[in-house]
Amino acid sequence: MSKQFDVIVIGGGPGGYIAAIRAAQLGFNVACIDEWKNAKGGPALGGTCTNIGCIPSKALLQSSEYYEHAGHHFADHGIEVKGLGLDVAKMVGRKDTVVKQNNDGIIYLFKKNKVAFFHGRGSFAAAKDGAYDIKVAGAAEETISGKHIIVATGSNARALPGTPFDEVNILSNDGALRIGAVPQKLGVIGSGVIGLEMGSVWRRLGAEVTILEGLPTFLGAVDQQIAKEAHKAFTKQGLKIELGVQVGEIKNGKTGVSIAYANAKGEAQTLEVDKLIISIGRTANTIGLNPEAVGLSLDERGAIVVDGDCKTNLPNVWAVGDVVRGPMLAHKAEEEGVAVAERIAGQHGHVNFNTIPWVIYTSPEIAWVGQTEEQLKAEGRAYKAGTFPFMANGRARALGDTTGMVKMLADAASDEILGVHIVGPMASELISECVVAMEFRASSEDIARICHAHPSLSEATKEAALAVDKRTLNF
């Protein structure tokens, strides 16, 4: 007889492992299945985020930022660095250590919360007697049974048609994190989060980086005042960003990659690079899930169809994270995982898509929550806007990083905050105050009246709120 569980989670990424832990906290007998392997073949919990996404990219971004500071900015502080060197292997090794610490941390959390872990690929086998049989294909094959199933299988990098990833010269985010030496010339197709972050890493370490973007605007989803400020900063740093291009034939040779493309004027161009990173988005991962065995519905993109509560078309089958609709963000997956576990327990799990923060961990960082000015104009909503530059912030001056601004948008009548957009130092941390404020439907006046520590970067948020009412104090 197969092992019986109240809840089985397929996938151990941010949505999956968090859902499993929360379900266990609520008193359910929980199992989690995940197939990620480390270099030794052991389990590597945490999914794409921990293994080849959020965590390792931030480790490399931090290392590369230290290197750039040592080479170009320490002198401004009176710190002399002589004989600066670079050990890419050690840098990548440190990144791998950070990943392993996170992998091991999740295993510890499973033990702490009494979540049963099965190492292998989970797939639907059958639906019977009000439960679902789930096959686990690992070192040994077995079948377990659960009343509730939460699918959290994540996403995969999207390849260009006719240009598969070889992870040697043509790289996904996975290969981009494992480059063994600084390429002389690096090409990036796509100026989204992954393209900009990975391009920034290798540019700081000495590569000549060219980013090719098909859209005519830079960071089209970002408030365009913020996007223009970011574009100016990246260009000044040395990133070459070409917009409105049409990529043609890509040739992968022994010594590098050749990309034929037409620029925004329609002129034929060729880019020769040592390595090419393709970051044109991600696709829902249902490979091997065997949804047809139980009649689980997928949409035309291959994502699992769910309603607003993450329920699928099947009773007691749920899905969260990148494998369903909505932004492909680790923290969105986590919130959905918690909400689903609580809904299974009869509680009222809550996820507000309007207050999910977005972050691009470049330097300067870009972070935002809520609506952009362009979106407000498109819907005809009357609004007020306030901005405050970091060049007028005392802490930013002390840091030596005054690039960027905070921008706040509020309803013209009620003053409710509708969106906050930041480009500048530590934007990823500053945005949290704004998320909290919007979740509680605060007004810009609320932020303007709250005492912020001095000197701190967060004062720029307060000043942007004051600017909504045209009464900044320091600019």
Side-chain angles (χ1 to χ4, degrees), residues 5-289:
F5 294 93
D6 300 320
V7 178
I8 297 175
V9 182
I10 304 175
Y17 87 78
I18 289 293
I21 289 171
R22 183 65 184 128
Q25 289 175 344
L26 290 165
F28 293 113
N29 180 22
V30 182
C32 182
I33 306 166
D34 188 80
E35 68 173 339
W36 276 91
K37 296 179 181 179
N38 58 29
K40 296 181 179 179
L45 280 159
T48 294
C49 173
T50 296
N51 291 292
I52 57 171
C54 320
I55 301 302
S57 63
K58 304 312 162 285
L60 284 185
L61 280 160
Q62 190 65 57
S63 296
S64 66
E65 192 164 341
Y66 284 151
Y67 180 76
E68 183 165 65
H69 282 318
H72 300 285
H73 303 300
F74 279 0
D76 294 338
H77 296 264
I79 302 170
E80 295 183 6
V81 178
K82 297 180 180 179
L84 181 65
L86 178 63
D87 187 337
V88 174
K90 189 169 184 177
M91 186 179 291
V92 172
R94 176 188 175 275
K95 176 262 297 181
D96 293 339
T97 297
V98 172
V99 169
K100 187 177 185 303
Q101 289 169 342
N102 281 269
N103 296 147
D104 293 347
I106 299 169
I107 291 175
Y108 163 76
L109 290 171
F110 275 4
K111 291 178 180 177
K112 175 184 175 183
N113 290 280
K114 297 181 174 57
V115 174
F117 173 60
F118 294 83
H119 190 204
R121 172 168 293 191
S123 61
F124 286 99
K128 59 183 181 183
D129 302 326
Y132 296 89
D133 285 346
I134 304 297
K135 184 173 73 173
V136 183
E141 192 170 291
E142 60 182 310
T143 298
I144 60 178
S145 181
K147 181 179 178 182
H148 288 270
I149 310 298
I150 304 175
V151 181
T153 47
S155 61
N156 296 314
R158 176 184 283 120
L160 276 172
T163 308
F165 298 115
D166 65 3
E167 305 300 7
V168 177
N169 289 337
I170 299 178
L171 314 170
S172 67
N173 54 297
D174 186 5
L177 291 162
R178 293 189 282 108
I179 296 176
V182 180
Q184 183 177 347
K185 293 186 177 182
L186 174 68
V188 181
I189 297 178
S191 65
V193 176
I194 295 170
L196 285 174
E197 290 184 357
M198 288 297 92
S200 292
V201 166
W202 296 105
R203 195 277 307 164
R204 292 172 191 163
L205 299 180
E208 180 183 321
V209 179
T210 300
I211 298 177
L212 303 178
E213 169 59 55
L215 295 175
T217 56
F218 180 64
L219 292 176
V222 178
D223 185 279
Q224 283 304 289
Q225 185 177 5
I226 297 298
K228 288 173 183 176
E229 187 76 12
H231 186 277
K232 183 170 65 176
F234 297 146
T235 301
K236 184 178 179 180
Q237 291 169 5
L239 278 179
K240 184 180 179 182
I241 303 170
E242 291 199 45
L243 302 174
V245 309
Q246 185 172 347
V247 175
E249 185 179 13
I250 297 175
K251 295 180 180 178
N252 186 5
K254 292 182 179 180
T255 58
V257 183
S258 176
I259 306 104
Y261 69 98
N263 64 19
K265 296 179 181 179
E267 300 165 337
Q269 305 287 321
T270 301
L271 177 65
E272 304 283 348
V273 296
D274 303 302
K275 305 283 184 183
L276 175 64
I277 299 171
I278 295 177
S279 57
I280 57 171
R282 300 183 66 80
T283 58
N285 175 29
T286 54
I287 298 170
L289 185 61

Side-chain angles (χ1 to χ4, degrees), residues 133-449:
D133 285 346
I134 304 297
K135 184 173 73 173
V136 183
E141 192 170 291
E142 60 182 310
T143 298
I144 60 178
S145 181
K147 181 179 178 182
H148 288 270
I149 310 298
I150 304 175
V151 181
T153 47
S155 61
N156 296 314
R158 176 184 283 120
L160 276 172
T163 308
F165 298 115
D166 65 3
E167 305 300 7
V168 177
N169 289 337
I170 299 178
L171 314 170
S172 67
N173 54 297
D174 186 5
L177 291 162
R178 293 189 282 108
I179 296 176
V182 180
Q184 183 177 347
K185 293 186 177 182
L186 174 68
V188 181
I189 297 178
S191 65
V193 176
I194 295 170
L196 285 174
E197 290 184 357
M198 288 297 92
S200 292
V201 166
W202 296 105
R203 195 277 307 164
R204 292 172 191 163
L205 299 180
E208 180 183 321
V209 179
T210 300
I211 298 177
L212 303 178
E213 169 59 55
L215 295 175
T217 56
F218 180 64
L219 292 176
V222 178
D223 185 279
Q224 283 304 289
Q225 185 177 5
I226 297 298
K228 288 173 183 176
E229 187 76 12
H231 186 277
K232 183 170 65 176
F234 297 146
T235 301
K236 184 178 179 180
Q237 291 169 5
L239 278 179
K240 184 180 179 182
I241 303 170
E242 291 199 45
L243 302 174
V245 309
Q246 185 172 347
V247 175
E249 185 179 13
I250 297 175
K251 295 180 180 178
N252 186 5
K254 292 182 179 180
T255 58
V257 183
S258 176
I259 306 104
Y261 69 98
N263 64 19
K265 296 179 181 179
E267 300 165 337
Q269 305 287 321
T270 301
L271 177 65
E272 304 283 348
V273 296
D274 303 302
K275 305 283 184 183
L276 175 64
I277 299 171
I278 295 177
S279 57
I280 57 171
R282 300 183 66 80
T283 58
N285 175 29
T286 54
I287 298 170
L289 185 61
N290 197 26
E292 57 273 11
V294 290
L296 180 64
S297 292
L298 309 182
D299 66 17
E300 66 279 359
R301 299 176 298 109
I304 296 174
V305 178
V306 294
D307 64 11
D309 289 334
C310 293
K311 293 178 181 177
T312 72
N313 65 303
L314 301 175
N316 297 337
V317 177
W318 315 71
V320 302
D322 286 7
V323 79
V324 302
R325 79 289 178 266
M328 290 185 173
L329 298 169
H331 43 284
K332 174 260 196 182
E334 290 179 342
E335 294 305 308
E336 287 183 330
V338 169
V340 165
E342 292 176 350
R343 288 164 187 154
I344 291 171
Q347 299 180 9
H348 302 282
H350 169 77
V351 181
N352 182 358
F353 276 32
N354 294 323
T355 55
I356 292 175
W358 295 71
V359 181
I360 304 175
Y361 294 87
T362 45
S363 181
E365 290 185 346
I366 306 166
W368 70 98
V369 62
Q371 292 175 284
T372 66
E373 191 165 2
E374 290 73 30
Q375 289 170 330
L376 293 174
K377 286 179 179 177
E379 69 177 45
R381 186 161 186 176
Y383 66 92
K384 301 177 290 183
T387 62
F388 186 81
F390 282 107
M391 69 177 182
N393 176 268
R395 182 67 188 278
R397 290 171 180 157
L399 288 171
D401 190 355
T402 58
T403 300
M405 69 180 78
V406 178
K407 178 176 183 177
M408 187 171 292
L409 302 167
D411 185 87
S414 69
D415 195 38
E416 179 182 351
I417 299 170
L418 304 176
V420 182
H421 309 271
I422 307 172
V423 55
M426 303 304 291
S428 58
E429 301 297 333
L430 295 175
I431 201 65
S432 293
E433 174 186 12
C434 308
V435 173
V436 172
M438 287 184 63
E439 191 63 49
F440 284 92
R441 302 192 67 177
S443 66
S444 69
E445 184 70 11
D446 289 328
I447 299 296
R449 292 287 180 184

